[in-house]
Amino acid sequence: MELQERLNDVRLRIAAGERQAGRPAGSVRLVAVSKTFEAEAIRPAIEAGQRIFGENRVQESQGKWPALKAENPDVELHLIGPLQSNKAADAVALFDVIETVDREKIARALAEEMKRQGKTLRLYVQVNTGLEPQKAGIAPDDTPAFVSLCRGELGLPIEGLMCIPPAEENPGPHFALLAKLASKCGVEKLSMGMSGDYEIAIAFGATSVRVGSAIFGAR
């Protein structure tokens, strides 16, 4: 199957998921995860009308996205991997959305860089719903206070929450927890669901899903 067919299949499944959940058409945005793929592999997706992409690493993205964004200024780039504070300046310069704000040090670095560069990014707080020690993210119980700190003291535009459920667990309860936390924090966007579970995420209220291998193929 060609990339365009795979992309179309994912779009159809998202539309079916919206209908099944009784949600308006177009209420779920597709973030095509292009990490590890070269610019030449990404171009066909852009040509097929995909406009939102997700990358895991700042350095890797710097090698391919400045040229792609110059050619396609309406493309929106999301950082969906962990961010080190020493990469905050580069991340603010290149990305439009950062989905992985997960500690105060990063939040402060981003606030400083956005002010310095005169650029406002849209931000998500990453929540470690499974409390996995090896995984980034704020603990669920600490999320409301952290969102409040980011929005209040730091003036950051936190628009949503993001999670990656434990691989071996049923993702449903994790998606339900994220939706509950978003409601408590007063944020509207939910970035949840990947290639294996995005249809479940839509049923639980995802406003964006991050799909990579189902579009670009195995890495």
Side-chain angles (χ1 to χ4, degrees), residues 88-132:
D90 292 339
V92 169
L94 181 59
F95 289 89
D96 303 292
V97 180
I98 292 176
E99 298 199 12
T100 49
V101 181
D102 66 348
R103 57 197 186 281
E104 190 175 334
K105 187 180 180 184
I106 286 295
R108 290 189 182 279
L110 288 172
E112 208 171 284
E113 274 308 321
M114 288 198 291
K115 192 175 179 182
R116 198 175 66 81
Q117 296 185 31
K119 188 180 176 192
T120 303
L121 275 66
R122 289 154 36 221
L123 306 174
Y124 287 63
V125 166
Q126 181 172 352
V127 182
N128 188 345
T129 56
L131 293 172
E132 296 172 277

Short mmCIF file of all heavy atoms in Angstrom, two decimals, residues 88-132:
data_model
loop_
_atom_site.label_atom_id
_atom_site.label_comp_id
_atom_site.label_asym_id
_atom_site.label_seq_id
_atom_site.Cartn_x
_atom_site.Cartn_y
_atom_site.Cartn_z
N ALA A 88 15.88 24.15 24.45
CA ALA A 88 14.66 24.97 24.45
C ALA A 88 14.69 26.06 23.38
O ALA A 88 13.70 26.28 22.68
CB ALA A 88 14.43 25.60 25.83
N ALA A 89 15.83 26.71 23.20
CA ALA A 89 15.94 27.79 22.20
C ALA A 89 15.69 27.24 20.80
O ALA A 89 14.93 27.83 20.01
CB ALA A 89 17.31 28.45 22.28
N ASP A 90 16.33 26.11 20.49
CA ASP A 90 16.15 25.50 19.17
C ASP A 90 14.71 25.05 18.96
O ASP A 90 14.15 25.18 17.87
CB ASP A 90 17.08 24.28 19.02
CG ASP A 90 18.56 24.68 18.97
OD1 ASP A 90 18.83 25.85 18.65
OD2 ASP A 90 19.42 23.83 19.26
N ALA A 91 14.10 24.49 20.02
CA ALA A 91 12.72 23.99 19.92
C ALA A 91 11.75 25.14 19.65
O ALA A 91 10.86 25.04 18.80
CB ALA A 91 12.33 23.25 21.19
N VAL A 92 11.94 26.25 20.35
CA VAL A 92 11.04 27.41 20.17
C VAL A 92 11.20 27.97 18.76
O VAL A 92 10.24 28.37 18.11
CB VAL A 92 11.31 28.49 21.25
CG1 VAL A 92 10.60 29.80 20.92
CG2 VAL A 92 10.85 27.98 22.62
N ALA A 93 12.43 27.97 18.25
CA ALA A 93 12.68 28.51 16.91
C ALA A 93 12.01 27.67 15.82
O ALA A 93 11.54 28.20 14.82
CB ALA A 93 14.18 28.59 16.66
N LEU A 94 11.96 26.34 16.00
CA LEU A 94 11.52 25.45 14.93
C LEU A 94 10.07 24.99 15.03
O LEU A 94 9.38 24.89 14.02
CB LEU A 94 12.44 24.22 14.89
CG LEU A 94 12.17 23.17 13.82
CD1 LEU A 94 12.26 23.77 12.41
CD2 LEU A 94 13.14 22.00 13.94
N PHE A 95 9.61 24.70 16.24
CA PHE A 95 8.29 24.07 16.40
C PHE A 95 7.17 25.09 16.60
O PHE A 95 7.40 26.24 16.97
CB PHE A 95 8.31 23.10 17.59
CG PHE A 95 9.13 21.86 17.33
CD1 PHE A 95 10.49 21.84 17.61
CD2 PHE A 95 8.55 20.73 16.77
CE1 PHE A 95 11.26 20.71 17.34
CE2 PHE A 95 9.31 19.60 16.49
CZ PHE A 95 10.66 19.59 16.78
N ASP A 96 5.95 24.64 16.32
CA ASP A 96 4.75 25.45 16.54
C ASP A 96 4.04 25.05 17.83
O ASP A 96 3.38 25.86 18.47
CB ASP A 96 3.78 25.28 15.36
CG ASP A 96 4.44 25.65 14.04
OD1 ASP A 96 4.73 26.84 13.85
OD2 ASP A 96 4.70 24.75 13.22
N VAL A 97 4.16 23.76 18.16
CA VAL A 97 3.49 23.20 19.33
C VAL A 97 4.47 22.28 20.05
O VAL A 97 5.16 21.49 19.40
CB VAL A 97 2.23 22.38 18.93
CG1 VAL A 97 1.53 21.79 20.16
CG2 VAL A 97 1.25 23.23 18.12
N ILE A 98 4.55 22.38 21.38
CA ILE A 98 5.35 21.43 22.16
C ILE A 98 4.39 20.68 23.08
O ILE A 98 3.69 21.30 23.89
CB ILE A 98 6.46 22.14 22.95
CG1 ILE A 98 7.50 22.71 21.96
CG2 ILE A 98 7.13 21.17 23.94
CD1 ILE A 98 8.61 23.51 22.60
N GLU A 99 4.35 19.36 22.92
CA GLU A 99 3.37 18.54 23.65
C GLU A 99 3.95 17.90 24.91
O GLU A 99 3.27 17.15 25.59
CB GLU A 99 2.82 17.44 22.74
CG GLU A 99 2.08 17.95 21.52
CD GLU A 99 1.17 16.90 20.89
OE1 GLU A 99 0.95 15.85 21.53
OE2 GLU A 99 0.70 17.14 19.77
N THR A 100 5.23 18.19 25.22
CA THR A 100 5.91 17.44 26.26
C THR A 100 6.46 18.31 27.39
O THR A 100 7.56 18.07 27.89
CB THR A 100 7.04 16.62 25.63
OG1 THR A 100 7.83 17.48 24.77
CG2 THR A 100 6.50 15.47 24.80
N VAL A 101 5.71 19.31 27.79
CA VAL A 101 6.11 20.12 28.95
C VAL A 101 5.85 19.24 30.18
O VAL A 101 4.70 18.85 30.44
CB VAL A 101 5.30 21.43 29.04
CG1 VAL A 101 5.76 22.26 30.23
CG2 VAL A 101 5.43 22.23 27.74
N ASP A 102 6.91 18.88 30.91
CA ASP A 102 6.72 17.88 31.96
C ASP A 102 7.42 18.19 33.28
O ASP A 102 7.44 17.38 34.19
CB ASP A 102 7.17 16.50 31.45
CG ASP A 102 8.67 16.45 31.19
OD1 ASP A 102 9.31 17.53 31.17
OD2 ASP A 102 9.20 15.34 31.00
N ARG A 103 8.05 19.38 33.38
CA ARG A 103 8.66 19.76 34.65
C ARG A 103 8.91 21.26 34.65
O ARG A 103 8.96 21.89 33.60
CB ARG A 103 9.95 18.98 34.90
CG ARG A 103 11.01 19.11 33.84
CD ARG A 103 12.05 17.99 33.96
NE ARG A 103 13.16 18.17 33.03
CZ ARG A 103 13.10 17.87 31.74
NH1 ARG A 103 11.97 17.39 31.21
NH2 ARG A 103 14.15 18.04 30.96
N GLU A 104 9.08 21.79 35.85
CA GLU A 104 9.18 23.24 36.02
C GLU A 104 10.38 23.82 35.27
O GLU A 104 10.29 24.90 34.68
CB GLU A 104 9.27 23.59 37.50
CG GLU A 104 9.14 25.07 37.76
CD GLU A 104 9.10 25.42 39.24
OE1 GLU A 104 8.67 24.58 40.06
OE2 GLU A 104 9.50 26.56 39.56
N LYS A 105 11.50 23.10 35.27
CA LYS A 105 12.71 23.61 34.60
C LYS A 105 12.46 23.86 33.12
O LYS A 105 12.87 24.88 32.57
CB LYS A 105 13.85 22.60 34.79
CG LYS A 105 15.19 23.10 34.28
CD LYS A 105 16.29 22.07 34.48
CE LYS A 105 17.62 22.60 33.97
NZ LYS A 105 18.69 21.59 34.08
N ILE A 106 11.75 22.92 32.47
CA ILE A 106 11.42 23.06 31.04
C ILE A 106 10.44 24.21 30.84
O ILE A 106 10.56 25.00 29.91
CB ILE A 106 10.84 21.74 30.48
CG1 ILE A 106 11.95 20.71 30.30
CG2 ILE A 106 10.10 21.95 29.16
CD1 ILE A 106 12.99 21.07 29.26
N ALA A 107 9.44 24.28 31.71
CA ALA A 107 8.42 25.34 31.60
C ALA A 107 9.08 26.72 31.68
O ALA A 107 8.78 27.61 30.88
CB ALA A 107 7.37 25.17 32.70
N ARG A 108 10.01 26.88 32.62
CA ARG A 108 10.70 28.17 32.79
C ARG A 108 11.58 28.47 31.57
O ARG A 108 11.64 29.61 31.10
CB ARG A 108 11.52 28.18 34.07
CG ARG A 108 10.66 28.22 35.32
CD ARG A 108 11.44 28.46 36.60
NE ARG A 108 10.54 28.44 37.74
CZ ARG A 108 9.77 29.46 38.13
NH1 ARG A 108 9.83 30.61 37.46
NH2 ARG A 108 8.96 29.35 39.16
N ALA A 109 12.27 27.45 31.07
CA ALA A 109 13.14 27.65 29.91
C ALA A 109 12.32 28.06 28.69
O ALA A 109 12.73 28.95 27.92
CB ALA A 109 13.91 26.36 29.62
N LEU A 110 11.15 27.46 28.52
CA LEU A 110 10.29 27.81 27.38
C LEU A 110 9.73 29.22 27.52
O LEU A 110 9.68 29.98 26.55
CB LEU A 110 9.14 26.79 27.25
CG LEU A 110 9.55 25.40 26.75
CD1 LEU A 110 8.37 24.42 26.86
CD2 LEU A 110 10.05 25.45 25.31
N ALA A 111 9.32 29.58 28.74
CA ALA A 111 8.79 30.93 28.97
C ALA A 111 9.84 31.98 28.61
O ALA A 111 9.55 32.98 27.95
CB ALA A 111 8.36 31.07 30.44
N GLU A 112 11.07 31.70 29.04
CA GLU A 112 12.19 32.62 28.78
C GLU A 112 12.48 32.74 27.27
O GLU A 112 12.64 33.83 26.74
CB GLU A 112 13.43 32.05 29.49
CG GLU A 112 14.45 33.07 29.90
CD GLU A 112 15.52 32.42 30.78
OE1 GLU A 112 15.24 32.16 31.96
OE2 GLU A 112 16.61 32.17 30.24
N GLU A 113 12.52 31.59 26.60
CA GLU A 113 12.85 31.58 25.17
C GLU A 113 11.76 32.22 24.31
O GLU A 113 12.05 32.92 23.36
CB GLU A 113 13.10 30.14 24.69
CG GLU A 113 14.51 29.67 24.88
CD GLU A 113 15.57 30.62 24.31
OE1 GLU A 113 15.36 31.18 23.22
OE2 GLU A 113 16.60 30.80 24.96
N MET A 114 10.50 31.95 24.65
CA MET A 114 9.41 32.55 23.86
C MET A 114 9.44 34.07 23.99
O MET A 114 9.23 34.78 23.01
CB MET A 114 8.06 31.97 24.31
CG MET A 114 7.88 30.53 23.87
SD MET A 114 6.17 29.94 23.89
CE MET A 114 5.82 29.89 25.61
N LYS A 115 9.75 34.53 25.19
CA LYS A 115 9.86 35.97 25.41
C LYS A 115 11.04 36.54 24.60
O LYS A 115 10.92 37.55 23.92
CB LYS A 115 10.06 36.23 26.91
CG LYS A 115 9.90 37.68 27.31
CD LYS A 115 9.99 37.82 28.82
CE LYS A 115 9.85 39.27 29.23
NZ LYS A 115 9.98 39.45 30.69
N ARG A 116 12.18 35.82 24.66
CA ARG A 116 13.39 36.28 23.98
C ARG A 116 13.22 36.31 22.47
O ARG A 116 13.67 37.23 21.79
CB ARG A 116 14.56 35.35 24.36
CG ARG A 116 15.93 35.94 24.08
CD ARG A 116 17.05 35.02 24.58
NE ARG A 116 17.09 33.78 23.82
CZ ARG A 116 17.65 33.64 22.63
NH1 ARG A 116 18.21 34.68 22.03
NH2 ARG A 116 17.66 32.47 22.02
N GLN A 117 12.54 35.28 21.94
CA GLN A 117 12.37 35.17 20.49
C GLN A 117 11.10 35.87 19.98
O GLN A 117 10.87 35.93 18.77
CB GLN A 117 12.35 33.69 20.06
CG GLN A 117 13.66 32.97 20.32
CD GLN A 117 13.66 31.53 19.78
OE1 GLN A 117 13.01 31.23 18.78
NE2 GLN A 117 14.39 30.64 20.44
N GLY A 118 10.28 36.36 20.90
CA GLY A 118 9.04 37.03 20.49
C GLY A 118 8.11 36.09 19.76
O GLY A 118 7.44 36.48 18.79
N LYS A 119 8.05 34.86 20.21
CA LYS A 119 7.25 33.83 19.53
C LYS A 119 6.42 33.08 20.56
O LYS A 119 6.93 32.67 21.61
CB LYS A 119 8.21 32.86 18.81
CG LYS A 119 7.51 31.86 17.91
CD LYS A 119 8.53 30.94 17.22
CE LYS A 119 7.78 29.89 16.41
NZ LYS A 119 8.65 28.80 15.95
N THR A 120 5.14 32.90 20.28
CA THR A 120 4.28 32.16 21.20
C THR A 120 3.95 30.80 20.63
O THR A 120 3.33 30.70 19.57
CB THR A 120 2.97 32.95 21.47
OG1 THR A 120 3.33 34.24 21.98
CG2 THR A 120 2.12 32.23 22.51
N LEU A 121 4.37 29.76 21.32
CA LEU A 121 4.03 28.40 20.92
C LEU A 121 2.81 27.93 21.71
O LEU A 121 2.56 28.44 22.81
CB LEU A 121 5.19 27.44 21.21
CG LEU A 121 6.29 27.32 20.16
CD1 LEU A 121 7.06 28.61 20.01
CD2 LEU A 121 7.24 26.18 20.52
N ARG A 122 2.08 26.98 21.16
CA ARG A 122 1.00 26.34 21.91
C ARG A 122 1.61 25.15 22.65
O ARG A 122 2.44 24.43 22.08
CB ARG A 122 -0.12 25.91 20.97
CG ARG A 122 -0.87 27.13 20.45
CD ARG A 122 -1.53 26.95 19.12
NE ARG A 122 -2.08 25.63 18.92
CZ ARG A 122 -1.98 24.96 17.78
NH1 ARG A 122 -1.35 25.48 16.75
NH2 ARG A 122 -2.52 23.77 17.65
N LEU A 123 1.22 24.97 23.89
CA LEU A 123 1.87 23.97 24.73
C LEU A 123 0.89 22.97 25.35
O LEU A 123 -0.26 23.31 25.64
CB LEU A 123 2.63 24.66 25.87
CG LEU A 123 3.65 25.73 25.46
CD1 LEU A 123 4.21 26.41 26.70
CD2 LEU A 123 4.78 25.14 24.62
N TYR A 124 1.38 21.74 25.53
CA TYR A 124 0.64 20.68 26.22
C TYR A 124 1.50 20.20 27.38
O TYR A 124 2.73 20.15 27.28
CB TYR A 124 0.39 19.49 25.30
CG TYR A 124 -0.65 19.69 24.22
CD1 TYR A 124 -0.49 20.65 23.22
CD2 TYR A 124 -1.79 18.89 24.19
CE1 TYR A 124 -1.43 20.81 22.23
CE2 TYR A 124 -2.75 19.05 23.19
CZ TYR A 124 -2.56 20.01 22.22
OH TYR A 124 -3.50 20.17 21.23
N VAL A 125 0.85 19.79 28.44
CA VAL A 125 1.56 19.16 29.56
C VAL A 125 1.48 17.65 29.38
O VAL A 125 0.39 17.10 29.16
CB VAL A 125 0.94 19.59 30.91
CG1 VAL A 125 1.43 18.69 32.05
CG2 VAL A 125 1.27 21.05 31.20
N GLN A 126 2.63 16.98 29.45
CA GLN A 126 2.65 15.52 29.35
C GLN A 126 2.41 14.93 30.73
O GLN A 126 3.09 15.27 31.70
CB GLN A 126 3.99 15.02 28.80
CG GLN A 126 4.01 13.50 28.65
CD GLN A 126 5.25 12.99 27.93
OE1 GLN A 126 6.04 13.75 27.39
NE2 GLN A 126 5.41 11.68 27.91
N VAL A 127 1.43 14.02 30.79
CA VAL A 127 1.07 13.38 32.06
C VAL A 127 1.48 11.90 32.00
O VAL A 127 1.17 11.19 31.04
CB VAL A 127 -0.45 13.49 32.31
CG1 VAL A 127 -0.82 12.86 33.66
CG2 VAL A 127 -0.91 14.95 32.27
N ASN A 128 2.17 11.46 33.04
CA ASN A 128 2.59 10.06 33.13
C ASN A 128 1.46 9.28 33.81
O ASN A 128 1.51 9.01 35.02
CB ASN A 128 3.90 9.98 33.92
CG ASN A 128 4.52 8.60 33.91
OD1 ASN A 128 3.88 7.62 33.56
ND2 ASN A 128 5.77 8.51 34.33
N THR A 129 0.44 8.94 33.04
CA THR A 129 -0.78 8.34 33.62
C THR A 129 -0.51 6.99 34.27
O THR A 129 -1.23 6.58 35.18
CB THR A 129 -1.87 8.16 32.55
OG1 THR A 129 -1.34 7.39 31.47
CG2 THR A 129 -2.36 9.51 32.02
N GLY A 130 0.53 6.28 33.81
CA GLY A 130 0.84 4.96 34.38
C GLY A 130 1.90 5.02 35.46
O GLY A 130 2.31 3.98 35.99
N LEU A 131 2.34 6.24 35.82
CA LEU A 131 3.40 6.44 36.83
C LEU A 131 4.60 5.53 36.54
O LEU A 131 5.17 4.90 37.44
CB LEU A 131 2.86 6.19 38.25
CG LEU A 131 1.82 7.20 38.74
CD1 LEU A 131 1.21 6.75 40.06
CD2 LEU A 131 2.44 8.59 38.90
N GLU A 132 4.99 5.46 35.27
CA GLU A 132 6.13 4.61 34.88
C GLU A 132 7.44 5.34 35.15
O GLU A 132 7.64 6.45 34.64
CB GLU A 132 6.02 4.25 33.41
CG GLU A 132 4.79 3.41 33.07
CD GLU A 132 4.64 3.23 31.57
OE1 GLU A 132 4.08 4.13 30.92
OE2 GLU A 132 5.10 2.20 31.05
#
